[in-house]
Amino acid sequence: MTESNFDIVVWGATGFTGRLVVEHLYQTYGAGGNLRWAVAARNQSKLTAVKRDILGEDADKIPEVIADSSDESSLRSLVNSTQVVLSTVGPYALYGTLLVKLCAETGTHYCDLTGEVPWMRSTIDSFHDIAQNSGARIVHACGFDSIPSDLGVQFIQNKMLEQTDSYATQVSYRLGHSAGGLSGGTIASMLNIMEQIKHNKSLLNILTDPYSLNPKIPEHGCDTADQTRAVYDPDFQQWTAPFVMAPINTRVVRRTHALLGQPWGQSFHYNEALLAGKGLKGCLKANLAATGTALTGLFSSFKPTRQLLARFLPKPGEGPSRETIENGYFEIELLAKHPDNSDKNIRVQITGNHDPGYGSTSRMIAESAVCLARDELTSPGGVLTPAFTMGDHLINRLIEHAGITFTILNPEQVK
């Protein structure tokens, strides 16, 4: 990669999440300082207005890059100007392929917020080898899906190895309490996937394969389909419900394991679910959540009901109020099971102090971009995952700058 003008370019800075990323970079790293960053979008007047609104008198210290997702010449100019492209422009299957291609070819690092598993699979097939050769690190899923899952599993496995000289044979992720707004971008991506399936039925195989993001070699493990109903979990002593992000997160974690060379063993098992509570109340809550998830999937499968959902749910570029973002939070608990001795099991809690879908997500991807640009990473190029690419470097940045915690729980702290 040739010498670039910037460390990071924020692509999609005029969108809802893009604005939050700009805010975080400005509040954390300033303007005109050691971190050389710029903002990019296709509409210059909107981009200038966003800068003025967020940066005030420092607006002129942050350069603007104008490009269009469908114009190769403008995108190539953007890619050649920076070490890292941070993209918030989705649905990525519609607007992201050319940008990833150019980053892979030029050796420019890239991170995004996609949870579009079929598109992620297509970028692996099309650009992984190219990115390996150029040294470009292409890192998908750098938001709430799937950083807490991916980094959380790596964190707890490393602690298990430190404490017991063994890796866990199973890790379970449970999302507990959380608060925040619905993501219009995530909804648009989900609806776009359903629209694509109508024209390409083979995408269903990618969505349902637990190892759909894995390399062809090594062989797949023993994980099966994600949870689709209410289930009582004796390990957490609560009822659990399906987690809508599990079909994304689990596949990212499994790709990390494969890229690492399967250090946790070919029989390693990973699963995710929502904690719903104890007793009859927890059972009812879990069943209601499972029914709601199933109905949402059913309604999004048919064009008339899909269009109806699109009318009433948040749209791309829309998001919750500032109060919802600032008052939002999430609590996740991971359980790692020792292969031989349950007394050596480890529990880790991961928390965030902002709305997971926007407040925390914007900080996660911003710190991912800074990590790619500034930290001394040893990972190779390719279409990769957050944990494989950045690991402890990113965990440390999230703790220091993003309000994320990773805490080992003592037995008395387990609820």
Side-chain angles (χ1 to χ4, degrees), residues 9 31 40 92 114 123 131 133 139 173 180 188 203 233 269 285 304 323 330 365 377 393:
V9 169
Y92 292 89
T114 190
T123 65
N133 291 332
V139 191
Y173 165 118
L203 295 181
D233 188 336
H269 174 61
K285 184 178 177 182
E323 181 181 11
F330 64 84
I365 192 172
L377 305 177
H393 292 279

Side-chain angles (χ1 to χ4, degrees), residues 101-404:
K101 174 179 180 290
L102 294 174
C103 286
E105 291 175 348
T106 60
T108 301
H109 305 317
Y110 166 96
C111 57
D112 65 26
L113 298 172
T114 190
E116 301 161 54
V117 171
W119 182 70
M120 294 161 73
R121 180 70 254 176
S122 73
T123 65
I124 292 168
D125 293 339
S126 298
F127 308 123
H128 180 72
D129 291 344
I130 296 171
Q132 274 190 319
N133 291 332
S134 71
R137 299 180 176 105
I138 308 296
V139 191
H140 297 310
C142 289
F144 188 64
D145 49 315
S146 302
I147 276 181
S149 306
D150 200 30
L151 293 181
V153 172
Q154 189 179 57
F155 178 85
I156 203 170
Q157 285 286 30
N158 288 343
K159 295 302 178 184
M160 177 67 79
L161 184 64
E162 289 174 12
Q163 294 183 15
T164 73
D165 203 32
S166 298
Y167 285 118
T169 53
Q170 175 179 319
V171 175
S172 298
Y173 165 118
R174 298 292 180 262
L175 177 62
H177 299 293
S178 65
L182 289 173
S183 168
T186 299
I187 292 166
S189 294
M190 179 189 73
L191 296 178
N192 183 62
I193 289 172
M194 292 304 179
E195 182 66 25
Q196 288 180 313
I197 289 173
K198 186 178 73 171
H199 304 288
N200 184 359
K201 299 299 183 184
S202 67
L203 295 181
L204 275 174
N205 296 329
I206 297 174
L207 287 173
T208 56
D209 179 2
Y211 294 89
S212 59
L213 296 183
N214 273 37
K216 304 304 180 185
I217 300 173
E219 295 181 4
H220 293 175
C222 61
D223 280 324
T224 56
D226 300 293
Q227 182 173 325
T228 58
R229 58 187 179 86
V231 175
Y232 182 77
D233 188 336
D235 291 324
F236 291 84
Q237 298 182 9
Q238 291 191 48
W239 283 90
T240 65
F243 179 36
V244 69
M245 298 299 180
I248 305 162
N249 298 336
T250 55
R251 285 143 182 80
V252 171
V253 169
R254 292 171 194 139
R255 179 166 177 79
T256 291
H257 186 214
L259 291 171
L260 288 171
Q262 291 190 317
W264 312 327
Q266 191 173 336
S267 61
F268 171 69
H269 174 61
Y270 179 66
N271 66 88
E272 296 191 352
L274 294 172
L275 292 177
K278 301 182 178 183
L280 179 60
K281 184 177 179 180
C283 179
L284 291 173
K285 184 178 177 182
N287 277 282
L288 283 173
T291 301
T293 300
L295 288 175
T296 300
L298 179 64
F299 290 159
S300 63
S301 300
F302 300 99
K303 187 171 183 178
T305 47
R306 187 163 60 244
Q307 291 175 335
L308 187 63
L309 283 173
R311 286 180 58 190
F312 292 100
L313 293 173
K315 297 174 176 54
E318 295 180 358
S321 67
R322 173 68 59 175
E323 181 181 11
T324 298
I325 293 172
E326 296 294 336
N327 293 334
Y329 66 94
F330 64 84
E331 297 175 357
I332 296 163
E333 191 171 322
L334 296 176
L335 168 64
K337 290 190 173 183
H338 187 272
D340 304 313
N341 187 347
S342 61
D343 290 337
K344 296 181 179 180
N345 291 351
I346 296 176
R347 291 182 187 252
V348 164
Q349 185 182 63
I350 304 173
T351 67
N353 61 3
H354 286 80
D355 156 61
Y358 286 100
S360 287
T361 281
S362 60
R363 288 162 173 76
M364 290 175 191
I365 192 172
E367 292 303 324
S368 296
V370 177
C371 189
L372 287 169
R374 304 299 294 274
D375 291 348
E376 295 184 4
L377 305 177
T378 58
S379 52
V383 181
L384 310 172
T385 62
F388 176 80
T389 311
M390 295 172 279
D392 287 342
H393 292 279
L394 183 53
I395 288 175
N396 293 335
R397 285 192 174 278
L398 294 176
I399 292 171
E400 184 175 358
H401 299 301
I404 311 296

Side-chain angles (χ1 to χ4, degrees), residues 9-14 39-44 47 64-79 81 85 89 98-99 102:
V9 169
V10 181
W11 173 234
T14 58
V39 292
R42 64 179 180 177
N43 187 306
Q44 184 154 19
L47 189 58
E64 300 174 8
V65 179
I66 306 303
D68 190 292
S69 59
S70 62
D71 180 65
E72 181 169 344
S73 176
S74 66
L75 280 186
R76 187 177 294 277
S77 178
L78 183 155
V79 166
S81 72
V85 175
V89 180
L98 179 57
L99 180 57
L102 294 174

